[in-house]
Amino acid sequence: MRRYMTQTWLRMWKENSDELKSKAIAWRTEPTIHRIERPSRLDRAHRLGYKAKQGIVVVRARVGRGGMRKQRPVSGRRPKHLGVVHIKQGINMRKVAERRVNEKFPNLEVLGSYYLHKDGMNIWYEVILADPGHPAISKDREMRGKLKAFAK
């Protein structure tokens, strides 16, 4: 069944479907970090450790696209040596999304994240978090092992 879910998402990305566009329009109106009830890509979430139980949280994060912008220097220089354009960021946007979500929810640990959609301005990721202090998580051996593996 998960294979069919994966194929559905791949088809929506390749065809740039209207359904995905309408979802992105709705996501634009939401806050940049938005807690959701259940994951959009259930197959990918399960591979990262998602379980439908207490102590597991799914968050949709929106990060901006594009290169880094630097203010132009005041004094005169050759345009080539201004150092304003072609400035790249050292880490990818998925890690940026995970970091921002982790700052918003400091008591939870990040299990993983996955790509959802991108448009001209934004990229959306869903981040799966677990509460290590919750009894349902601390008693689950499999979940404890995943939390220790990600803590390293």
Side-chain angles (χ1 to χ4, degrees), residues 49-116:
Y50 171 78
K51 292 181 178 181
K53 63 192 303 183
Q54 291 182 338
I56 302 286
V57 176
V58 182
V59 176
R60 186 181 302 119
R62 181 179 75 210
V63 289
R65 287 184 66 191
M68 296 171 66
R69 291 140 195 90
K70 193 174 174 186
Q71 196 169 5
R72 291 177 66 92
V74 178
S75 59
R77 285 174 182 74
R78 272 178 64 190
K80 180 180 179 180
H81 296 144
L82 282 173
V84 176
V85 295
H86 307 300
I87 297 169
K88 308 294 187 281
Q89 191 169 0
I91 58 173
N92 65 6
M93 297 314 276
R94 196 181 108 213
K95 294 288 183 186
V96 171
E98 286 180 4
R99 188 193 73 227
R100 288 179 184 173
V101 168
N102 209 8
E103 287 170 2
K104 175 113 180 186
F105 299 95
N107 61 323
L108 304 177
E109 290 188 29
V110 175
L111 284 179
S113 63
Y114 52 89
Y115 168 83
L116 273 183

Side-chain angles (χ1 to χ4, degrees), residues 136-152:
I137 302 298
S138 59
K139 291 177 184 174
D140 189 350
R141 283 187 176 185
E142 183 184 345
M143 197 59 68
R144 275 188 311 201
K146 287 182 181 180
L147 288 173
K148 287 179 184 174
F150 283 106
K152 291 179 183 177

